[in-house]
Amino acid sequence: MIKVAVNGYGTIGKRVASAILAQPDMSLIGVSKTSPNYEAYQAQKMGMSLYVTKESAKEFEEAGIKVKGVLEDMIREADVVVDATPNGVGAQYKQIYSSMGKRALFQGGEKANVADVSFSALCNYDEAVDKKFVRVVSCNTTGLLRTLCTLNKMSKITKVRGTIVRRAADPKEVKKGPINSLIPDPASIPSHHAKDVNTVLKDLDIVTMAVIAPTTLMHVHMLDITVSTSVTREDVLSVMKSTPRILLASSKSKVGSTAEIVEVARDMGRNRNDLYELIIFEDSISVKGNEVFLMYAVHQESIVVPENIDAIRAVSGFSDGRKSMEITNTSMGIRT
Ligand code: NAD
């Protein structure tokens, strides 16, 4: 059993913790919290061991939330630490993980140089095997890489141009906006998403532009991908349909928006309405010679969760990426 600790129990951390509990080859040492809020209360109710920073121990005691120890106790017990602290905080913890001889995963909000390798399971599982520090790329980059590495199997990609409509905030974030505006980021072309794709697909010619939209549900990407041979729409459909963690939403099912996609997740009884799969709008797939056009939606809160689970196995020396993805998909009920 791989013993895993989750440092930072927020949007990503809580989902990774739940996914670890579903794995046949992993055990959850515990999760860390910095304040005794509703998330700490629920984690305790679910039977997870809570560890806290030294400074916050008294606050938890006063709130009547029982803790198992301090953060360092949790790290000591673990083989692998999943760091899901806010952007930039993970890098501050690297020294602690390193001095305690632990392997660690970081999230996409950290700079790429925090880790030995940036990770996307379908693209470069092998590169992360036995590495000490791995960074799971962000939700948008995971969506881009899942798409591009899938299409690369059909015909080598030579150029990508994309537009990213970013959700303004996660559903629980009450202080973020905008609530009635679209905010383009004209000063940043290519947007950081293209640069992040290049941390995995190093030589790819990719330019992305981004706009923030007043929604909390999902991101939407619109891509124009040039491949090296002439392909058909059927070729694209076939490779997408045969790749795990990608689903097609067709207008026949009347699912044509992010709101309806999330409603399907609710109807499926998915934990926290999560959609670990990339959702491609099937009718958007068009081909003109060597160019492929498509649109898809990314559930920002959950798409990186299966990637974290595969990365835990990779850093622990499990070398069969395909098998790891199979175990993850089966245990989490991910459509393949
Ligand atoms: P979050 O704010 O929801 O959760 C972060 C958690 O870390 C909170 O529970 C917070 O209390 C805790 N924390 C804060 N300081 C801490 C400290 N010093 N020590 C221990 N815990 C601490 O953030 P999130 O959205 O889960 O993001 C975490 C990481 O995942 C970031 O790198 C982010 O870029 C990345 N990410 C986020 C999303 C998303 O859509 N939310 C998607 C993909 C990747």
Side-chain angles (χ1 to χ4, degrees), residues 7-13 32-35 37 39 53 71 83-89 92-93 106-110 136-140 167 170 172-173 219 300-304:
N7 186 20
Y9 190 76
T11 302
I12 301 301
S32 78
K33 279 299 299 172
T34 48
S35 69
N37 67 355
E39 286 168 326
T53 50
L71 187 55
D83 187 296
T85 59
N87 296 355
V89 177
Q92 296 167 24
Y93 274 109
F106 298 95
Q107 306 304 313
E110 302 300 322
V136 175
V137 295
S138 75
C139 45
N140 276 309
R167 63 87 182 93
D170 288 340
K172 73 170 184 185
E173 293 178 309
H219 305 294
Q300 77 280 355
E301 296 175 283
S302 65
I303 194 168
V304 299

Side-chain angles (χ1 to χ4, degrees), residues 125-326:
Y125 182 98
D126 294 352
E127 284 178 43
V129 173
D130 258 336
K131 290 285 186 310
K132 198 123 193 149
F133 299 115
V134 165
R135 170 177 165 269
V136 175
V137 295
S138 75
C139 45
N140 276 309
T141 310
T142 297
L144 284 161
L145 283 169
R146 214 177 266 178
T147 306
L148 300 177
C149 289
T150 299
L151 288 178
N152 247 337
K153 289 191 290 188
M154 173 191 71
S155 174
K156 191 169 164 42
I157 297 172
T158 56
K159 189 168 100 176
V160 181
R161 300 292 179 255
T163 302
I164 295 176
V165 182
R166 299 171 63 188
R167 63 87 182 93
D170 288 340
K172 73 170 184 185
E173 293 178 309
V174 294
K175 290 184 183 158
K176 274 191 172 176
I179 57 169
N180 189 24
S181 184
L182 291 166
I183 309 180
D185 191 357
S188 183
I189 299 174
S191 66
H192 70 271
H193 312 94
K195 296 173 201 161
D196 208 21
V197 164
N198 283 142
T199 64
V200 175
L201 299 176
K202 304 222 164 29
D203 302 321
L204 182 66
D205 173 5
I206 174 167
V207 177
T208 51
M209 297 184 284
V211 56
I212 301 176
T215 179
T216 64
L217 298 177
M218 300 180 91
H219 305 294
V220 169
H221 296 183
M222 290 163 269
L223 299 188
D224 170 359
I225 300 158
T226 306
V227 292
S228 48
T229 53
S230 199
V231 293
T232 64
R233 183 170 188 271
E234 283 61 43
D235 296 331
V236 179
L237 281 170
S238 160
V239 75
M240 290 298 184
K241 280 181 181 162
S242 59
T243 303
R245 300 185 187 171
I246 292 181
L247 294 180
L248 299 172
S250 138
S251 61
K252 285 190 210 120
S253 59
K254 313 281 183 216
V255 176
S257 68
T258 55
E260 289 154 317
I261 293 171
V262 171
E263 189 65 10
V264 173
R266 291 193 183 106
D267 289 347
M268 286 164 76
R270 279 285 175 91
N271 201 13
R272 301 185 174 99
N273 307 331
D274 284 346
L275 278 157
Y276 314 106
E277 301 87 347
L278 185 82
I279 313 296
I280 299 187
F281 294 104
E282 182 170 338
D283 304 83
S284 76
I285 297 177
S286 325
V287 168
K288 195 174 176 205
N290 287 18
E291 266 180 293
V292 178
F293 303 87
L294 51 82
M295 300 178 190
Y296 57 84
V298 173
H299 188 235
Q300 77 280 355
E301 296 175 283
S302 65
I303 194 168
V304 299
V305 177
E307 309 291 317
N308 272 273
I309 297 299
D310 292 326
I312 292 169
R313 282 200 192 89
V315 297
S316 306
F318 189 92
S319 58
D320 187 341
R322 221 165 55 101
K323 183 76 193 156
S324 172
M325 282 182 261
E326 249 175 61

Side-chain angles (χ1 to χ4, degrees), residues 53-125:
T53 50
K54 284 185 188 115
E55 309 77 58
S56 58
K58 195 160 180 296
E59 232 190 304
F60 278 82
E61 199 185 316
E62 283 166 5
I65 297 183
K66 213 168 163 291
V67 304
K68 185 124 188 239
V70 292
L71 187 55
E72 288 74 10
D73 298 330
M74 177 179 83
I75 298 170
R76 197 171 299 113
E77 290 289 312
D79 300 320
V80 181
V81 182
V82 177
D83 187 296
T85 59
N87 296 355
V89 177
Q92 296 167 24
Y93 274 109
K94 185 177 175 184
Q95 171 57 26
I96 298 179
Y97 306 144
S98 184
S99 67
M100 293 175 82
K102 303 299 173 184
R103 295 174 192 279
L105 308 186
F106 298 95
Q107 306 304 313
E110 302 300 322
K111 294 205 171 94
N113 64 8
V114 76
D116 307 314
V117 61
S118 287
F119 179 84
S120 171
L122 275 176
C123 296
N124 67 339
Y125 182 98

